[in-house]
Amino acid sequence: MRYLHTMVRVRDIDESLRFYCDAFGLEEARRIDNEKGRFTLIFLAAPGDLDAVRKGQAPALELTYNWDPEEYTGGRNFGHLAYEVEDIYATCEKLQKAGVTINRPPRDGHMAFVRSPDNISIELLQKGEALAPREPWASMENTGSW
């Protein structure tokens, strides 16, 4: 058995791609438009995993867009996505500059949480050892729940 992907339903492809690709830094690995089923699947990968995802050798994030309008509630009921990052402070700064709210700042240099436009909780974990506390992150309060 091997892990393949995590599927997240999205309401707006453009808004979701701005978040996941432009702000968060994932890259589109492949896309499937299914006219009969009236949906689009977009598979995203972290830059370091892009080739492996395209070869089916690494897990991906699958965004599912249903062409017929639906209202999705309870986005957190599945848990969260988790990504390891090279520099948690730089990642959070980049996201914040893109207009993303840091729901749980990386005060400890190890972990932070943000949310997608569809209310999906995303955990960011520092690669390797935690970084030393750094301002303004060390003194930031939570801006919401994760």
Side-chain angles (χ1 to χ4, degrees), residues 69-128:
E70 291 184 47
E71 185 61 34
Y72 303 115
T73 59
R76 284 179 45 95
N77 63 353
F78 84 98
H80 65 263
L81 305 174
Y83 291 90
E84 180 180 72
V85 297
E86 292 292 326
D87 183 325
I88 196 160
Y89 298 127
T91 300
C92 287
E93 183 177 7
K94 177 185 174 191
L95 290 168
Q96 194 172 49
K97 284 180 180 176
V100 176
T101 299
I102 310 299
N103 292 92
R104 193 265 191 207
R107 292 181 304 278
D108 57 5
H110 175 68
M111 177 178 56
F113 277 86
V114 299
R115 284 192 196 229
S116 78
D118 294 290
N119 208 29
I120 303 300
S121 187
I122 299 174
E123 179 181 23
L124 306 172
L125 295 168
Q126 173 61 42
K127 183 177 181 179

Side-chain angles (χ1 to χ4, degrees), residues 3-138:
Y3 175 64
L4 296 176
H5 63 262
T6 297
M7 185 274 275
V8 176
R9 288 185 177 90
V10 300
R11 294 180 306 249
D12 182 313
I13 289 177
D14 293 332
E15 180 182 39
S16 295
L17 291 177
R18 275 192 299 278
F19 173 81
Y20 287 107
C21 296
D22 298 345
F24 198 66
L26 299 182
E27 296 180 26
E28 187 170 328
R30 67 183 184 277
R31 183 184 292 231
I32 300 167
D33 290 312
N34 186 312
E35 290 193 36
K36 184 177 180 184
R38 301 189 47 75
F39 63 83
T40 297
L41 304 179
I42 302 171
F43 292 87
L44 304 177
D49 293 332
L50 188 59
D51 289 335
V53 167
R54 286 182 172 152
K55 294 175 185 173
Q57 298 171 339
L61 173 60
E62 174 193 316
L63 303 182
T64 297
Y65 174 72
N66 292 311
W67 300 355
D68 300 315
E70 291 184 47
E71 185 61 34
Y72 303 115
T73 59
R76 284 179 45 95
N77 63 353
F78 84 98
H80 65 263
L81 305 174
Y83 291 90
E84 180 180 72
V85 297
E86 292 292 326
D87 183 325
I88 196 160
Y89 298 127
T91 300
C92 287
E93 183 177 7
K94 177 185 174 191
L95 290 168
Q96 194 172 49
K97 284 180 180 176
V100 176
T101 299
I102 310 299
N103 292 92
R104 193 265 191 207
R107 292 181 304 278
D108 57 5
H110 175 68
M111 177 178 56
F113 277 86
V114 299
R115 284 192 196 229
S116 78
D118 294 290
N119 208 29
I120 303 300
S121 187
I122 299 174
E123 179 181 23
L124 306 172
L125 295 168
Q126 173 61 42
K127 183 177 181 179
E129 297 296 316
L131 300 180
R134 189 180 311 161
E135 294 299 338
W137 306 106

